[in-house]
Amino acid sequence: MASRTKGKATMEVGGDGVAVITLINPPVNSLSFDVLENLKSNYEEALTRNDVQAIVITGAKGRFSGGFDISGFGEIQKGTRKAPKPGYISIDIITDLLEAARKPSVAAIDGLALGGGLELAMACHARISAPGAQLGLPELQLGVIPGFGGTQRLPRLVGLTKALEMILTSKPVKAEEGHSLGLVDAVVPPAELLNAARRWALDIAERRKPWVSSVLKTDKLPPLGEAREILKFAKDQTRKQAPNLKHPLMCLEAVEMGIVSGSRAGLELEAQISPQVVKLDTTKSLIHVFFSQRGTTKVPGVTDRGLVPRKIKKVAIIGGGLMGSGIATALILSNYPVILKEVNEKFLEAGIGRVKANLQSRVKKGRMSKEKFEQTMSLLKGSLDYESFRDVDMVIEAVIEKISLKQQIFADLEKYCPQHCILASNTSTIDLNRIGERTKSQDRIIGAHFFSPAHVMPLLEIVRTNHTSAQVIVDLLDVGKKIKKTPVVVGNCTGFAVNRMFFPYTQAAMFLVERGTDPYLIDKAVSKFGMPMGPFRLCDLVGFGVAIATATQFIENFPERTNKSMIIPLMQEDKRAGEATRKGFYLYDEKRKAKPDPEIKKYIEKARSVSGVNLDPKLEKLSEKEIIEMTFFPVVNEACRVFAEGIAVKAADLDIAGIFGMGFPPYRGGIMFWADSIGSKYIYSKLDEWSKAYGGFFKPCDFLAERGSKGAPLSAPLEQARSRL
């Protein structure tokens, strides 16, 4: 079955004897199969034409290429396109046609050359770049490996250690650094790029400049013994940091083969491994995440109406605590002028101090210059009243979770802010309708829920009520993009999407502990599964005050399915509050290193007697698999409710929300994707079994019961979308 054409490559031959091949596939000139086939036929033509002495490859509209078009993998998986034979692109086209050609080629790089884009450029005989262009191999992040020869050429151009760093971290370098590394031969202004590349190509053809085949270079490779040591260290680190992932190690095998047995053998192994990697479950998950993340900004009935985001010139933030100062940091880092309002001088000074400390840590790490620090800080102004709010375009309220205080603030904002000003709240659990009930401006009230620390965590939950206007949502989506967040639009309910989906996570862990499961075994199993930390370490980190405030919201709103545990309140009575007091479920030294505390047993026993709960021999001896199921299946259950109620438009939005808001492992694809990989039938049967044994906390919701009884996927769209949006 033929698929529609995606992109092309065109060729123009100049009077100087240079053929310029341009990659065209907006927005980033990704290398689809169609572009690659065009490139091949253009190249073959250029090689046979007598009026062509040299070739320049470039990308249309200021971008070289963002890499292989990974929707091509989807086409192969669905059977709409036949998979090319291993090595067809990396060996037949890129190595044997381009690199081994009798005519030299130069890559003219502007904007970006990432993944397959950089691999194509590295096969050219020289690379000329415009300043600031990004060069990198981010494939591992997507679950694949560099499959167009990158495992062989990058170590030969920049040295083994730097190549491994770039490949394993997926981090690009700028053209200037690329030049000092030997990845780029010259950096020239954008206006001169094409002419400089043409001259360079002719100079190679006339032997005035060296004709270099990257794949044959060996001068930057360390001696074999040293190379093996470096690779062994890289493999050990990879096993330690990504124990659940196979593809980084498979990638290292290809690198090693090239160093030990020569680049041809390396290319052949890379070509053999690439199609195997695409079939891995972790790869399918990471590719799902890649597309889902790009899909969060498409909101039916909102982003398809042709609305243009309004320009937000100035933002005010109310509250300079941990959240308010983090949000202010995120905004000024993206050049938004910010007013930070506090109730008194002392609090205001502390808030501005927090923002300063956030930026200073960037300076310390070498990620920001002193001048840039001063310039960024100058965008922040402090205020103790609303007078300076008369010309702001958006206000974000970030005070404590106290409903009467928030209602008063919103009533005041209506008086002082201009008519068009967006009124946003960073509440994490309180219903927005209640926050705005004393105002007449409900169409411009919206939730802008950041996650702590707000200048670091990538998710922005955009919460809309039944009254929020589409224009306000479009505006906030644009701000989210500009401050480099992944925005997810959700409906209004207690806990919104992330906190609501994950409230049963900590409660399930408490439930197990009261009945005999070791809390440290739960944390260990959950960390091994891929979460950044287990539920008890997380409680310590956020602090017991926050943990109780959040739990209370859910106990009040969903009494029939919450598990009330006395463990934390009893620990609080003894002045334990988590990491801040150096005592929580763990003990903390001055470097905040956590170690288990044998005293925890007494609090668990006391909680058990207060709640009248008995030890359960089955739960005392749970395997890691059972711990994961009993902790995460209740999360799946709640995610199904959120989806069925239309709080999220699509299941993939919940996947992204869980990954970026709670640290759910991306290589498992997100909570709904992971649940579907296990099967709705199995999840339903386990929850049903536990609810009969232990009560309502585990009871499967109607949506899960219905889909589970048929074995239907949980993430399939709803027949009738009763969206809260």
Side-chain angles (χ1 to χ4, degrees), residues 246-286:
K246 292 178 188 163
H247 70 282
L249 292 168
M250 292 165 88
C251 176
L252 291 172
E253 278 172 36
V255 174
E256 185 160 21
M257 174 63 84
I259 286 169
V260 174
S261 306
S263 55
R264 191 73 186 187
L267 284 167
E268 281 163 5
L269 185 61
E270 180 193 274
Q272 202 182 314
I273 288 172
S274 289
Q276 294 169 13
V277 168
V278 177
K279 291 180 185 142
L280 294 172
D281 286 343
T282 49
T283 300
K284 289 173 188 164
S285 300
L286 288 162

mmCIF file of all heavy atoms in Angstrom, residues 246-286:
data_model
loop_
_atom_site.group_PDB
_atom_site.id
_atom_site.type_symbol
_atom_site.label_atom_id
_atom_site.label_comp_id
_atom_site.label_asym_id
_atom_site.label_seq_id
_atom_site.Cartn_x
_atom_site.Cartn_y
_atom_site.Cartn_z
ATOM 1 N N LYS A 246 17.847 -1.462 27.030
ATOM 2 C CA LYS A 246 18.831 -2.266 26.294
ATOM 3 C C LYS A 246 19.520 -1.468 25.198
ATOM 4 O O LYS A 246 20.655 -1.720 24.843
ATOM 5 C CB LYS A 246 18.124 -3.474 25.631
ATOM 6 C CG LYS A 246 17.611 -4.509 26.614
ATOM 7 C CD LYS A 246 16.891 -5.626 25.862
ATOM 8 C CE LYS A 246 16.212 -6.568 26.858
ATOM 9 N NZ LYS A 246 15.197 -7.388 26.201
ATOM 10 N N HIS A 247 18.781 -0.516 24.588
ATOM 11 C CA HIS A 247 19.314 0.099 23.365
ATOM 12 C C HIS A 247 20.605 0.909 23.554
ATOM 13 O O HIS A 247 21.445 0.909 22.656
ATOM 14 C CB HIS A 247 18.222 0.907 22.627
ATOM 15 C CG HIS A 247 17.791 2.148 23.311
ATOM 16 N ND1 HIS A 247 16.927 2.153 24.386
ATOM 17 C CD2 HIS A 247 18.092 3.451 23.075
ATOM 18 C CE1 HIS A 247 16.727 3.403 24.764
ATOM 19 N NE2 HIS A 247 17.422 4.202 23.989
ATOM 20 N N PRO A 248 20.846 1.566 24.730
ATOM 21 C CA PRO A 248 22.137 2.263 24.849
ATOM 22 C C PRO A 248 23.325 1.292 24.784
ATOM 23 O O PRO A 248 24.356 1.599 24.190
ATOM 24 C CB PRO A 248 22.056 2.952 26.213
ATOM 25 C CG PRO A 248 20.589 3.073 26.492
ATOM 26 C CD PRO A 248 19.981 1.852 25.895
ATOM 27 N N LEU A 249 23.163 0.108 25.379
ATOM 28 C CA LEU A 249 24.256 -0.884 25.354
ATOM 29 C C LEU A 249 24.442 -1.440 23.946
ATOM 30 O O LEU A 249 25.573 -1.694 23.509
ATOM 31 C CB LEU A 249 23.973 -2.020 26.350
ATOM 32 C CG LEU A 249 24.026 -1.609 27.827
ATOM 33 C CD1 LEU A 249 23.464 -2.700 28.721
ATOM 34 C CD2 LEU A 249 25.449 -1.262 28.256
ATOM 35 N N MET A 250 23.331 -1.610 23.225
ATOM 36 C CA MET A 250 23.426 -2.104 21.843
ATOM 37 C C MET A 250 24.175 -1.081 20.981
ATOM 38 O O MET A 250 24.975 -1.429 20.113
ATOM 39 C CB MET A 250 22.019 -2.369 21.289
ATOM 40 C CG MET A 250 21.341 -3.553 21.976
ATOM 41 S SD MET A 250 19.548 -3.625 21.678
ATOM 42 C CE MET A 250 19.480 -4.571 20.162
ATOM 43 N N CYS A 251 23.925 0.198 21.264
ATOM 44 C CA CYS A 251 24.605 1.278 20.549
ATOM 45 C C CYS A 251 26.114 1.220 20.825
ATOM 46 O O CYS A 251 26.938 1.338 19.908
ATOM 47 C CB CYS A 251 24.020 2.609 21.004
ATOM 48 S SG CYS A 251 24.837 4.041 20.310
ATOM 49 N N LEU A 252 26.473 1.015 22.093
ATOM 50 C CA LEU A 252 27.894 0.942 22.463
ATOM 51 C C LEU A 252 28.595 -0.243 21.798
ATOM 52 O O LEU A 252 29.781 -0.178 21.490
ATOM 53 C CB LEU A 252 28.047 0.874 23.994
ATOM 54 C CG LEU A 252 27.673 2.159 24.749
ATOM 55 C CD1 LEU A 252 27.679 1.933 26.254
ATOM 56 C CD2 LEU A 252 28.617 3.305 24.398
ATOM 57 N N GLU A 253 27.837 -1.330 21.578
ATOM 58 C CA GLU A 253 28.426 -2.490 20.882
ATOM 59 C C GLU A 253 28.860 -2.103 19.475
ATOM 60 O O GLU A 253 29.921 -2.504 19.004
ATOM 61 C CB GLU A 253 27.391 -3.623 20.769
ATOM 62 C CG GLU A 253 27.263 -4.482 22.007
ATOM 63 C CD GLU A 253 26.079 -5.447 21.886
ATOM 64 O OE1 GLU A 253 25.828 -5.944 20.761
ATOM 65 O OE2 GLU A 253 25.414 -5.689 22.905
ATOM 66 N N ALA A 254 28.024 -1.312 18.786
ATOM 67 C CA ALA A 254 28.350 -0.885 17.421
ATOM 68 C C ALA A 254 29.577 0.027 17.417
ATOM 69 O O ALA A 254 30.456 -0.098 16.559
ATOM 70 C CB ALA A 254 27.155 -0.178 16.788
ATOM 71 N N VAL A 255 29.652 0.937 18.415
ATOM 72 C CA VAL A 255 30.817 1.832 18.520
ATOM 73 C C VAL A 255 32.076 0.985 18.709
ATOM 74 O O VAL A 255 33.088 1.172 18.031
ATOM 75 C CB VAL A 255 30.653 2.827 19.704
ATOM 76 C CG1 VAL A 255 31.916 3.656 19.897
ATOM 77 C CG2 VAL A 255 29.450 3.747 19.483
ATOM 78 N N GLU A 256 31.976 0.020 19.637
ATOM 79 C CA GLU A 256 33.141 -0.816 19.962
ATOM 80 C C GLU A 256 33.590 -1.645 18.756
ATOM 81 O O GLU A 256 34.785 -1.737 18.467
ATOM 82 C CB GLU A 256 32.799 -1.749 21.138
ATOM 83 C CG GLU A 256 33.994 -2.547 21.601
ATOM 84 C CD GLU A 256 33.841 -3.091 23.022
ATOM 85 O OE1 GLU A 256 32.691 -3.199 23.512
ATOM 86 O OE2 GLU A 256 34.864 -3.397 23.632
ATOM 87 N N MET A 257 32.640 -2.212 18.051
ATOM 88 C CA MET A 257 32.971 -3.029 16.882
ATOM 89 C C MET A 257 33.799 -2.209 15.879
ATOM 90 O O MET A 257 34.786 -2.688 15.322
ATOM 91 C CB MET A 257 31.685 -3.551 16.225
ATOM 92 C CG MET A 257 31.904 -4.297 14.927
ATOM 93 S SD MET A 257 32.869 -5.810 15.111
ATOM 94 C CE MET A 257 31.571 -6.952 15.585
ATOM 95 N N GLY A 258 33.391 -0.956 15.667
ATOM 96 C CA GLY A 258 34.105 -0.096 14.714
ATOM 97 C C GLY A 258 35.530 0.185 15.137
ATOM 98 O O GLY A 258 36.437 0.294 14.302
ATOM 99 N N ILE A 259 35.737 0.313 16.447
ATOM 100 C CA ILE A 259 37.085 0.626 16.936
ATOM 101 C C ILE A 259 37.973 -0.618 16.918
ATOM 102 O O ILE A 259 39.136 -0.570 16.557
ATOM 103 C CB ILE A 259 36.986 1.282 18.333
ATOM 104 C CG1 ILE A 259 36.474 2.717 18.120
ATOM 105 C CG2 ILE A 259 38.328 1.290 19.048
ATOM 106 C CD1 ILE A 259 36.060 3.428 19.350
ATOM 107 N N VAL A 260 37.388 -1.749 17.264
ATOM 108 C CA VAL A 260 38.162 -2.996 17.346
ATOM 109 C C VAL A 260 38.402 -3.595 15.955
ATOM 110 O O VAL A 260 39.505 -4.025 15.636
ATOM 111 C CB VAL A 260 37.450 -4.020 18.273
ATOM 112 C CG1 VAL A 260 38.153 -5.365 18.253
ATOM 113 C CG2 VAL A 260 37.374 -3.484 19.697
ATOM 114 N N SER A 261 37.350 -3.594 15.115
ATOM 115 C CA SER A 261 37.453 -4.321 13.837
ATOM 116 C C SER A 261 37.375 -3.432 12.603
ATOM 117 O O SER A 261 37.253 -3.938 11.490
ATOM 118 C CB SER A 261 36.340 -5.371 13.761
ATOM 119 O OG SER A 261 36.370 -6.192 14.901
ATOM 120 N N GLY A 262 37.371 -2.114 12.806
ATOM 121 C CA GLY A 262 37.327 -1.208 11.653
ATOM 122 C C GLY A 262 35.918 -0.714 11.369
ATOM 123 O O GLY A 262 34.928 -1.357 11.726
ATOM 124 N N SER A 263 35.840 0.462 10.709
ATOM 125 C CA SER A 263 34.547 1.129 10.554
ATOM 126 C C SER A 263 33.560 0.343 9.700
ATOM 127 O O SER A 263 32.361 0.424 9.907
ATOM 128 C CB SER A 263 34.740 2.533 9.989
ATOM 129 O OG SER A 263 35.466 2.461 8.781
ATOM 130 N N ARG A 264 34.051 -0.435 8.729
ATOM 131 C CA ARG A 264 33.110 -1.180 7.892
ATOM 132 C C ARG A 264 32.349 -2.201 8.748
ATOM 133 O O ARG A 264 31.119 -2.323 8.663
ATOM 134 C CB ARG A 264 33.866 -1.890 6.753
ATOM 135 C CG ARG A 264 32.941 -2.468 5.685
ATOM 136 C CD ARG A 264 32.358 -1.351 4.848
ATOM 137 N NE ARG A 264 31.358 -1.819 3.905
ATOM 138 C CZ ARG A 264 30.803 -1.070 2.979
ATOM 139 N NH1 ARG A 264 31.121 0.207 2.881
ATOM 140 N NH2 ARG A 264 29.911 -1.543 2.164
ATOM 141 N N ALA A 265 33.102 -2.913 9.592
ATOM 142 C CA ALA A 265 32.457 -3.898 10.477
ATOM 143 C C ALA A 265 31.503 -3.182 11.430
ATOM 144 O O ALA A 265 30.411 -3.685 11.748
ATOM 145 C CB ALA A 265 33.517 -4.669 11.263
ATOM 146 N N GLY A 266 31.890 -1.987 11.885
ATOM 147 C CA GLY A 266 31.038 -1.194 12.773
ATOM 148 C C GLY A 266 29.750 -0.783 12.091
ATOM 149 O O GLY A 266 28.656 -0.881 12.669
ATOM 150 N N LEU A 267 29.867 -0.327 10.832
ATOM 151 C CA LEU A 267 28.676 0.067 10.068
ATOM 152 C C LEU A 267 27.742 -1.126 9.874
ATOM 153 O O LEU A 267 26.521 -1.002 9.967
ATOM 154 C CB LEU A 267 29.079 0.617 8.691
ATOM 155 C CG LEU A 267 29.664 2.037 8.655
ATOM 156 C CD1 LEU A 267 30.298 2.320 7.296
ATOM 157 C CD2 LEU A 267 28.600 3.086 8.967
ATOM 158 N N GLU A 268 28.347 -2.294 9.602
ATOM 159 C CA GLU A 268 27.520 -3.493 9.377
ATOM 160 C C GLU A 268 26.779 -3.898 10.641
ATOM 161 O O GLU A 268 25.602 -4.251 10.603
ATOM 162 C CB GLU A 268 28.381 -4.641 8.824
ATOM 163 C CG GLU A 268 28.629 -4.459 7.331
ATOM 164 C CD GLU A 268 29.783 -5.283 6.786
ATOM 165 O OE1 GLU A 268 30.353 -6.091 7.548
ATOM 166 O OE2 GLU A 268 30.108 -5.117 5.587
ATOM 167 N N LEU A 269 27.479 -3.811 11.796
ATOM 168 C CA LEU A 269 26.801 -4.168 13.054
ATOM 169 C C LEU A 269 25.710 -3.140 13.379
ATOM 170 O O LEU A 269 24.601 -3.503 13.794
ATOM 171 C CB LEU A 269 27.806 -4.271 14.213
ATOM 172 C CG LEU A 269 27.197 -4.756 15.540
ATOM 173 C CD1 LEU A 269 26.586 -6.159 15.413
ATOM 174 C CD2 LEU A 269 28.221 -4.748 16.669
ATOM 175 N N GLU A 270 26.012 -1.846 13.171
ATOM 176 C CA GLU A 270 25.001 -0.792 13.392
ATOM 177 C C GLU A 270 23.755 -1.076 12.545
ATOM 178 O O GLU A 270 22.620 -0.983 13.034
ATOM 179 C CB GLU A 270 25.601 0.573 13.021
ATOM 180 C CG GLU A 270 24.662 1.749 13.214
ATOM 181 C CD GLU A 270 25.160 3.025 12.542
ATOM 182 O OE1 GLU A 270 25.945 3.751 13.172
ATOM 183 O OE2 GLU A 270 24.751 3.282 11.387
ATOM 184 N N ALA A 271 23.974 -1.462 11.284
ATOM 185 C CA ALA A 271 22.856 -1.743 10.372
ATOM 186 C C ALA A 271 22.060 -2.970 10.815
ATOM 187 O O ALA A 271 20.843 -3.044 10.612
ATOM 188 C CB ALA A 271 23.391 -1.958 8.953
ATOM 189 N N GLN A 272 22.748 -3.902 11.443
ATOM 190 C CA GLN A 272 22.089 -5.135 11.921
ATOM 191 C C GLN A 272 21.275 -4.849 13.195
ATOM 192 O O GLN A 272 20.171 -5.341 13.375
ATOM 193 C CB GLN A 272 23.215 -6.122 12.253
ATOM 194 C CG GLN A 272 22.864 -7.579 12.267
ATOM 195 C CD GLN A 272 24.128 -8.361 12.674
ATOM 196 O OE1 GLN A 272 25.217 -8.124 12.175
ATOM 197 N NE2 GLN A 272 23.974 -9.256 13.624
ATOM 198 N N ILE A 273 21.864 -4.006 14.062
ATOM 199 C CA ILE A 273 21.227 -3.708 15.357
ATOM 200 C C ILE A 273 20.013 -2.779 15.200
ATOM 201 O O ILE A 273 18.998 -2.952 15.866
ATOM 202 C CB ILE A 273 22.264 -3.068 16.328
ATOM 203 C CG1 ILE A 273 23.277 -4.121 16.803
ATOM 204 C CG2 ILE A 273 21.580 -2.438 17.535
ATOM 205 C CD1 ILE A 273 24.439 -3.535 17.605
ATOM 206 N N SER A 274 20.110 -1.772 14.294
ATOM 207 C CA SER A 274 19.048 -0.753 14.180
ATOM 208 C C SER A 274 17.644 -1.334 14.065
ATOM 209 O O SER A 274 16.757 -0.958 14.837
ATOM 210 C CB SER A 274 19.323 0.181 13.007
ATOM 211 O OG SER A 274 20.415 0.991 13.324
ATOM 212 N N PRO A 275 17.387 -2.293 13.128
ATOM 213 C CA PRO A 275 16.016 -2.819 13.047
ATOM 214 C C PRO A 275 15.611 -3.638 14.272
ATOM 215 O O PRO A 275 14.429 -3.712 14.608
ATOM 216 C CB PRO A 275 16.029 -3.691 11.788
ATOM 217 C CG PRO A 275 17.446 -3.848 11.377
ATOM 218 C CD PRO A 275 18.250 -2.787 12.039
ATOM 219 N N GLN A 276 16.592 -4.213 14.990
ATOM 220 C CA GLN A 276 16.258 -4.965 16.224
ATOM 221 C C GLN A 276 15.782 -3.990 17.303
ATOM 222 O O GLN A 276 14.836 -4.260 18.044
ATOM 223 C CB GLN A 276 17.494 -5.720 16.746
ATOM 224 C CG GLN A 276 17.980 -6.837 15.845
ATOM 225 C CD GLN A 276 19.361 -7.356 16.285
ATOM 226 O OE1 GLN A 276 19.839 -7.060 17.374
ATOM 227 N NE2 GLN A 276 19.994 -8.133 15.425
ATOM 228 N N VAL A 277 16.461 -2.844 17.378
ATOM 229 C CA VAL A 277 16.131 -1.835 18.396
ATOM 230 C C VAL A 277 14.703 -1.321 18.212
ATOM 231 O O VAL A 277 13.963 -1.138 19.178
ATOM 232 C CB VAL A 277 17.153 -0.666 18.338
ATOM 233 C CG1 VAL A 277 16.673 0.518 19.172
ATOM 234 C CG2 VAL A 277 18.508 -1.124 18.851
ATOM 235 N N VAL A 278 14.297 -1.119 16.948
ATOM 236 C CA VAL A 278 12.962 -0.578 16.659
ATOM 237 C C VAL A 278 11.866 -1.500 17.192
ATOM 238 O O VAL A 278 10.769 -1.050 17.519
ATOM 239 C CB VAL A 278 12.802 -0.331 15.134
ATOM 240 C CG1 VAL A 278 11.411 0.152 14.799
ATOM 241 C CG2 VAL A 278 13.817 0.708 14.677
ATOM 242 N N LYS A 279 12.179 -2.788 17.332
ATOM 243 C CA LYS A 279 11.159 -3.744 17.799
ATOM 244 C C LYS A 279 11.075 -3.832 19.326
ATOM 245 O O LYS A 279 10.194 -4.499 19.864
ATOM 246 C CB LYS A 279 11.462 -5.137 17.227
ATOM 247 C CG LYS A 279 11.234 -5.203 15.722
ATOM 248 C CD LYS A 279 11.547 -6.585 15.173
ATOM 249 C CE LYS A 279 11.441 -6.584 13.655
ATOM 250 N NZ LYS A 279 12.475 -7.415 13.040
ATOM 251 N N LEU A 280 11.997 -3.193 20.048
ATOM 252 C CA LEU A 280 11.976 -3.272 21.518
ATOM 253 C C LEU A 280 10.736 -2.568 22.073
ATOM 254 O O LEU A 280 10.313 -1.537 21.558
ATOM 255 C CB LEU A 280 13.218 -2.604 22.114
ATOM 256 C CG LEU A 280 14.590 -3.228 21.838
ATOM 257 C CD1 LEU A 280 15.695 -2.310 22.357
ATOM 258 C CD2 LEU A 280 14.709 -4.601 22.501
ATOM 259 N N ASP A 281 10.184 -3.109 23.168
ATOM 260 C CA ASP A 281 9.021 -2.462 23.814
ATOM 261 C C ASP A 281 9.357 -1.047 24.277
ATOM 262 O O ASP A 281 8.540 -0.131 24.170
ATOM 263 C CB ASP A 281 8.559 -3.288 25.023
ATOM 264 C CG ASP A 281 7.842 -4.559 24.584
ATOM 265 O OD1 ASP A 281 7.437 -4.631 23.404
ATOM 266 O OD2 ASP A 281 7.718 -5.489 25.404
ATOM 267 N N THR A 282 10.588 -0.883 24.817
ATOM 268 C CA THR A 282 10.970 0.444 25.327
ATOM 269 C C THR A 282 11.006 1.458 24.180
ATOM 270 O O THR A 282 10.650 2.621 24.354
ATOM 271 C CB THR A 282 12.349 0.396 26.012
ATOM 272 O OG1 THR A 282 13.271 -0.277 25.145
ATOM 273 C CG2 THR A 282 12.297 -0.325 27.336
ATOM 274 N N THR A 283 11.405 1.001 22.987
ATOM 275 C CA THR A 283 11.459 1.904 21.833
ATOM 276 C C THR A 283 10.053 2.313 21.414
ATOM 277 O O THR A 283 9.782 3.493 21.162
ATOM 278 C CB THR A 283 12.200 1.223 20.667
ATOM 279 O OG1 THR A 283 13.522 0.929 21.120
ATOM 280 C CG2 THR A 283 12.264 2.105 19.443
ATOM 281 N N LYS A 284 9.136 1.330 21.378
ATOM 282 C CA LYS A 284 7.742 1.660 21.028
ATOM 283 C C LYS A 284 7.196 2.687 22.016
ATOM 284 O O LYS A 284 6.490 3.624 21.650
ATOM 285 C CB LYS A 284 6.884 0.389 21.033
ATOM 286 C CG LYS A 284 7.206 -0.537 19.855
ATOM 287 C CD LYS A 284 6.473 -1.864 19.976
ATOM 288 C CE LYS A 284 6.960 -2.847 18.910
ATOM 289 N NZ LYS A 284 6.584 -4.222 19.203
ATOM 290 N N SER A 285 7.546 2.505 23.305
ATOM 291 C CA SER A 285 7.073 3.444 24.337
ATOM 292 C C SER A 285 7.635 4.842 24.110
ATOM 293 O O SER A 285 6.912 5.840 24.177
ATOM 294 C CB SER A 285 7.507 2.966 25.730
ATOM 295 O OG SER A 285 6.972 1.700 26.003
ATOM 296 N N LEU A 286 8.939 4.923 23.864
ATOM 297 C CA LEU A 286 9.578 6.234 23.717
ATOM 298 C C LEU A 286 9.115 6.958 22.454
ATOM 299 O O LEU A 286 8.991 8.181 22.443
ATOM 300 C CB LEU A 286 11.108 6.089 23.735
ATOM 301 C CG LEU A 286 11.686 5.750 25.122
ATOM 302 C CD1 LEU A 286 13.098 5.202 25.019
ATOM 303 C CD2 LEU A 286 11.659 6.959 26.053
#
